[in-house]
Amino acid sequence: MIDYQNVIDTIHENLRDEVNRGLVASYIPELANIDVQNFGIHLRFLDGQTYGTGDWNKKFSIQSISKVLTLAMALSRYPEDLWQRVDVEPSGNPFNHLSLLELENGIPRNPLINAGALVIADILVSLLENPKEDFLNYVRAVVDDSTIVFNLEVARSERLTGYNNYAAANLLKAYGNLTNDVDDVLDFYFHQCAIEMTCEQLTKAFLMFANHGKCCLKTNQLSPSQAKRINAIMLTCGFYDEAGEFAFEVGLPGKSGVGGGIVALLPNHFTISVWSPGLNMKGNSLLGMKALEDFTSMTKLSIF
Ligand code: GLN
């Protein structure tokens, strides 16, 4: 029997004084103020066992991790023709790259790069009566936690500097793959990215992907087939141009965000999240990647 508390404590201890921990995202000014020393890990098994170490209970900006949750909400409420507006191929490019949009007629490579997430945001803006509020309530329901909120300063900060996202949304609009106003879609997108969660809330949010669509309350949020597909997309596209590296080193479906969070899972077993705000050159948490690599090496728990 593995002593999981000991495993994550050891990983935390070995990495917590690391000097080379990457750079905090500064292109969203509000994120530049986060202390790079923060470092937390949380692990949750389907049978209810949980383990936390370090800053596992501090809130941080989930940023692109939210793209998996908007995809889950859209997929559970929208028929399969969602896949006619966004593809399921890895991009091999940074998260905010635009070139493939032009080459591929405004169909984003996948829903986890920014352009793809903007199409999913557009779908939700069309579908929901009060898009931001309804999405926030969906996240609260999935996590069974009504304390989850948007950080409005982060959303505002990104709106003021989100030139790349404005460019992507305008390109999508030009290609006829955005039905709502560019500003409305971006307002929704900046807010979804500005949701704050702790490592503990994140492992709860992602239980539905590890448990065939059933969330922490055991209610069905997704069909087993939808959960399977989202896991496949996380594995192949969850880390942008580092998805191959993550599969190679860690071997779990997962998703990163420029707030420094990473959440990953082993279907039928567990979800795990790590937060360390310093990012590597590809925009993924540097210590987060290392911690997860150590976790699957020490426990031999990966999909491979
Ligand atoms: N809100 C960020 C952006 O659109 C999300 C990017 C990320 O977390 N990789 O640039």
Side-chain angles (χ1 to χ4, degrees):
M1 180 65 193
I2 302 176
D3 179 348
Y4 291 105
Q5 187 63 51
N6 187 257
V7 170
I8 62 171
D9 283 344
T10 306
I11 294 170
H12 188 267
E13 230 172 271
N14 291 343
L15 292 174
R16 91 177 151 210
D17 298 324
E18 177 68 57
V19 182
N20 176 18
R21 51 208 301 143
L23 294 175
V24 173
S26 56
Y27 76 101
I28 302 176
E30 197 65 22
L31 294 184
N33 307 324
I34 309 293
D35 182 359
V36 75
Q37 293 302 327
N38 283 296
F39 182 31
I41 305 176
H42 192 264
L43 171 65
R44 178 185 302 274
F45 283 87
L46 261 52
D47 66 8
Q49 293 174 70
T50 62
Y51 307 90
T53 193
D55 299 311
W56 61 273
N57 203 18
K58 259 197 198 173
K59 285 188 183 294
F60 60 92
S61 192
I62 68 169
Q63 291 296 319
S64 281
I65 295 173
S66 67
K67 294 170 180 169
V68 189
L69 300 172
T70 52
L71 175 63
M73 188 183 194
L75 204 54
S76 66
R77 283 156 177 76
Y78 193 76
E80 291 290 304
D81 44 339
L82 180 151
W83 300 120
Q84 281 162 19
R85 294 183 56 190
V86 55
D87 209 342
V88 292
E89 293 299 336
S91 72
N93 274 320
F95 59 86
N96 53 8
H97 217 261
L98 300 177
S99 64
L100 285 170
L101 265 184
E102 282 195 278
L103 289 175
E104 296 172 359
N105 289 321
I107 305 294
R109 269 280 161 131
N110 65 68
L112 302 184
I113 53 169
N114 288 12
L118 288 168
V119 170
I120 302 299
D122 183 57
I123 288 171
L124 289 176
V125 169
S126 298
L127 214 62
L128 304 173
E129 211 167 308
N130 301 302
K132 286 185 280 188
E133 198 182 320
D134 294 351
F135 175 63
L136 185 60
N137 283 333
Y138 167 79
V139 175
R140 289 171 168 175
V142 163
V143 186
D144 187 28
D145 188 335
S146 58
T147 66
I148 296 171
V149 289
F150 299 121
N151 181 325
L152 299 176
E153 278 309 305
V154 172
R156 193 177 149 271
S157 174
E158 187 169 3
R159 183 167 55 78
L160 293 176
T161 55
Y163 305 112
N164 257 299
N165 288 319
Y166 276 94
N170 278 297
L171 263 180
L172 289 166
K173 188 78 180 169
Y175 279 103
N177 200 5
L178 216 63
T179 53
N180 296 285
D181 274 358
V182 162
D183 285 328
D184 291 345
V185 175
L186 286 170
D187 182 54
F188 179 88
Y189 174 77
F190 294 144
H191 279 81
Q192 73 169 74
C193 289
I195 285 181
E196 290 192 328
M197 283 200 217
T198 64
C199 286
E200 194 213 4
Q201 289 168 327
L202 266 180
T203 57
K204 225 171 173 187
F206 275 60
L207 265 191
M208 62 180 167
F209 306 113
N211 198 18
H212 307 281
K214 281 192 191 354
C215 72
C216 61
L217 296 174
K218 303 276 186 281
T219 52
N220 285 318
Q221 294 290 345
L222 295 164
S223 70
S225 146
Q226 289 167 339
K228 183 187 79 177
R229 288 180 164 185
I230 293 178
N231 286 337
I233 295 172
M234 279 196 264
L235 184 74
T236 52
C237 314
F239 298 83
Y240 318 110
D241 42 346
E242 216 171 23
E245 180 81 11
F246 193 79
F248 186 78
E249 303 286 358
V250 179
L252 298 172
K255 184 74 198 88
S256 62
V258 292
I262 300 182
V263 54
L265 61 110
L266 181 61
N268 297 318
H269 293 274
F270 65 80
T271 56
I272 184 166
S273 63
V274 185
W275 175 46
S276 167
L279 307 178
N280 65 19
M281 298 299 284
K282 311 270 177 157
N284 297 314
S285 169
L286 200 152
L287 289 196
M289 300 265 294
K290 279 196 184 149
L292 290 170
E293 180 187 346
D294 289 350
F295 181 78
T296 56
S297 303
M298 285 165 81
T299 59
K300 302 196 172 47
L301 292 173
S302 88
I303 63 169
F304 303 110

